[in-house]
Amino acid sequence: MSAPDAITRAPVLILLGPPGAGKGTQARMLESRFHLKQLATGDMLRAAVAAGTEAGRAAQSVMEAGGLVSDDIVVAILRDALDAPDAAAGVVLDGFPRTEAQAAALDALLAERGRQVDAAIALEVDDAEMVGRISGRFTCAACGEGYHDTNKPPAREGVCDNCGATEFSRRADDNAETVRARLEAYHEQTAPLIAHYARLGTLERVDAMASIDAVATALARITERARS
Ligand code: AP5
């Protein structure tokens, strides 16, 4: 078996869904269960903002307002991440693509690398539920494990299940006004991609109002199919 064949079969999964749909939660679970690399453009942009890079400086005010960062910046970040050695065994894209231009850029980037989108998974949820999910969300400051005040609290209050750290943080854009803007951006610019992937025959729909474990079970079945 040649090396290029092995790379071609590494799955490329996309998680589509509005803010709070559970993209990050599920991407981390897929990473841990199937050793896929989670590529989360939101996390990458927040890291760029924290590091004060040129891309981070351009993205900061847009993110604070709940809008979408320019396609050029996001596609450049994603291209570098796709070429990292840890992406060769398969990736789960969390929060990318978000516009039709990003979807076209992704198709081109993958084609150049002999890869393709194996499954675009739409996490289907109600907007009203999202506000509650986002306002209750917090993250371990040390390892990034995600939690929720009521839906997913740490087993021991104040202690991360994953790494034992005791410091947690909440995102600056998780306030009611910004969440509304993020939902609007999703419906206007990202939701049309569902029809795009339906046309290509790669769309999978998952009821993401179900429990975290039930959604994970549905995604595991899709991932098994994509890997075979
Ligand atoms: P990003 O970081 O991608 O944020 P988002 O899309 O708004 O999504 P979230 O991270 O808020 O939600 P999630 O779906 O990951 O839900 P989670 O798993 O945390 O983007 C942030 C910003 O960056 C954007 O606004 C934009 O400015 C910019 N950006 C990023 N990518 C870009 C791109 N490609 N182009 C342009 N700009 C870009 O779950 C939420 C909570 O709910 C958690 O507490 C979790 O425990 C809980 N939960 C999860 N699943 C369930 C469930 N099934 N039942 C009950 N609770 C659940």
Side-chain angles (χ1 to χ4, degrees):
M1 183 194 305
S2 69
D5 283 343
I7 289 171
T8 304
R9 281 199 300 278
V12 176
L13 307 182
I14 294 173
L15 294 183
L16 288 169
K23 302 182 297 294
T25 301
Q26 297 296 334
R28 282 188 294 278
M29 292 169 88
L30 288 171
E31 186 170 64
S32 128
R33 176 160 176 190
F34 293 99
H35 308 295
L36 303 179
K37 179 67 184 167
Q38 175 196 15
L39 299 182
T41 43
D43 290 347
M44 294 174 200
L45 288 166
R46 281 184 286 279
V49 170
T53 65
E54 193 180 331
R57 286 195 299 277
Q60 185 167 15
S61 59
V62 181
M63 293 174 77
E64 283 169 356
L68 293 186
V69 175
S70 81
D71 292 331
D72 290 352
I73 289 178
V74 182
V75 169
I77 287 180
L78 198 270
R79 180 191 297 117
D80 291 346
L82 265 184
D83 287 336
D86 58 1
V91 294
V92 51
L93 301 178
D94 160 6
F96 184 97
R98 261 175 152 102
T99 64
E100 298 202 0
Q102 290 179 21
L106 175 63
D107 288 344
L109 285 173
L110 291 175
E112 284 164 14
R113 290 156 179 77
R115 300 172 80 170
Q116 62 184 25
V117 174
D118 295 290
I121 304 161
L123 298 179
E124 299 184 321
V125 287
D126 297 341
D127 280 5
E129 162 91 0
M130 296 309 95
V131 179
R133 282 196 192 174
I134 289 178
S135 55
R137 170 170 63 184
F138 60 99
T139 304
C140 171
C143 73
E145 182 67 16
Y147 295 98
H148 189 276
D149 290 327
T150 51
N151 300 338
K152 192 192 165 199
R156 234 178 95 211
E157 191 180 343
V159 181
C160 176
D161 297 344
N162 190 44
C163 73
T166 53
E167 295 288 325
F168 296 87
S169 62
R170 292 186 190 253
R171 268 168 52 178
D173 61 347
D174 280 353
N175 59 78
E177 194 185 334
T178 310
V179 170
R180 274 194 293 278
R182 286 158 59 197
L183 278 170
E184 207 170 298
Y186 173 77
H187 288 297
E188 281 178 9
Q189 297 179 73
T190 308
L193 297 184
I194 292 173
H196 170 79
Y197 289 110
R199 277 193 300 276
L200 294 178
T202 50
L203 181 69
E204 302 273 0
R205 295 177 185 273
V206 170
D207 174 13
M209 297 295 284
S211 70
I212 291 174
D213 286 346
V215 176
T217 300
L219 294 193
R221 274 198 294 269
I222 294 167
T223 306
E224 296 283 12
R225 278 202 301 276
R227 292 200 316 171
S228 62

